[in-house]
Amino acid sequence: MRQLILELLPDAPPSFDNFVAGSNAEALTGLAAWLAPANRESVFLFWGEAGAGKSHLLQACQAAYSDARTDPELSGIAPAGEFYAVDHVEALGEGGQIVLFNLINRLRASGGRLLAAADMPPLHLALREDLRTRLGSGLLYRLQPLSDAEKLAALAEQARVRGLVLPPEAFSYLFARAPRDMRSLAALLVAIDRYSLEQKRPITLPLLREVLQTSVTG
């Protein structure tokens, strides 16, 4: 259902403005300091479970982005550059690990930067020891996923900003039937707004059912 919901509307590119911080204020402050021109640390790594927002932040930074899940050997990585983001480093193949190790060495020498993300701290990754050491030598922050209460609060605030009037039970109804990651929930909220305008109908539980059925059958 997640992919079908996201196909209901143009995908909003990840940005700092549409990232819901939750309990990750310290990690975001650390990232902002690392991105500042005066920073001299070359490596910054986020770790945490799926859905915490690691990929969102890596893409929001507008670095040369690579995802090791789809390119485990990093064959598509740009050969020249000074700011890179490598996602899901736990999925790197043997060749990709060598590429990343050499990239870190080059960036350290040139003053460039690498923003990386993994599902656990470097010490516990099944990677080459020298690469784990390089990744662990930089700044490390854990990203915490949003609690259900934080997601509901964020969704309610997004609805308020859009001027949407939803029945009190709408959020719990959506929460029980839609994907719970914030990106899908936010996309669903926009789809509900658009559908309500197209149908010239207020947002009610029957309308929500229609939107969810559209996302399943469409």
Side-chain angles (χ1 to χ4, degrees):
M1 182 189 288
R2 178 185 293 109
Q3 184 59 39
L4 290 167
I5 288 172
L6 294 176
E7 287 173 357
L8 287 172
L9 70 160
D11 191 19
S15 71
F16 294 117
D17 288 338
N18 59 24
F19 181 76
V20 181
S23 59
N24 293 306
E26 181 180 354
L28 291 180
T29 299
L31 177 61
W34 181 76
L35 290 170
N39 168 63
R40 294 293 178 266
E41 179 61 63
S42 57
V43 177
F44 187 111
L45 184 138
F46 282 124
W47 67 275
E49 63 188 81
K54 303 184 299 294
S55 298
H56 184 116
L57 290 175
L58 261 64
Q59 294 176 60
C61 284
Q62 299 183 352
Y65 177 84
S66 298
D67 188 342
R69 288 190 305 184
T70 56
D71 184 11
E73 304 306 322
L74 297 183
S75 57
I77 202 164
E82 291 300 315
F83 188 18
Y84 294 83
V86 178
D87 208 350
H88 302 105
V89 296
E90 70 277 2
L92 286 169
E94 291 185 9
Q97 294 179 49
I98 295 173
V99 170
L100 187 57
F101 178 78
N102 291 334
L103 176 64
I104 294 174
N105 288 340
R106 178 173 73 78
L107 295 175
R108 291 175 71 175
S110 66
R113 305 184 194 193
L114 170 72
L115 179 60
D119 60 356
M120 60 184 67
L123 178 64
H124 301 297
L125 294 173
L127 301 173
R128 293 164 43 126
E129 177 63 29
D130 54 3
L131 178 56
R132 289 204 307 267
T133 300
R134 287 287 189 272
L135 292 170
S137 68
L139 298 175
L140 306 177
Y141 283 89
R142 181 177 185 178
L143 279 186
Q144 301 283 355
L146 295 177
S147 67
D148 286 352
E150 288 171 332
K151 291 177 183 178
L152 284 171
L155 205 60
E157 174 61 16
Q158 290 182 22
R160 185 194 67 79
V161 170
R162 299 186 69 87
L164 299 183
V165 179
L166 281 74
E169 64 274 22
F171 295 112
S172 57
Y173 179 86
L174 293 174
F175 228 59
R177 293 162 176 80
R180 289 196 176 187
D181 63 287
M182 273 307 302
R183 192 178 181 194
S184 293
L185 288 169
L188 180 56
L189 193 66
V190 179
I192 291 168
D193 186 16
R194 189 179 72 178
Y195 188 79
S196 173
L197 291 172
E198 289 176 349
Q199 299 293 315
K200 297 181 173 60
R201 292 163 53 195
I203 299 174
T204 60
L205 287 185
L207 184 136
L208 297 182
R209 291 191 194 98
E210 292 176 25
V211 173
L212 290 174
Q213 288 170 358
T214 299
S215 68
V216 172
T217 62

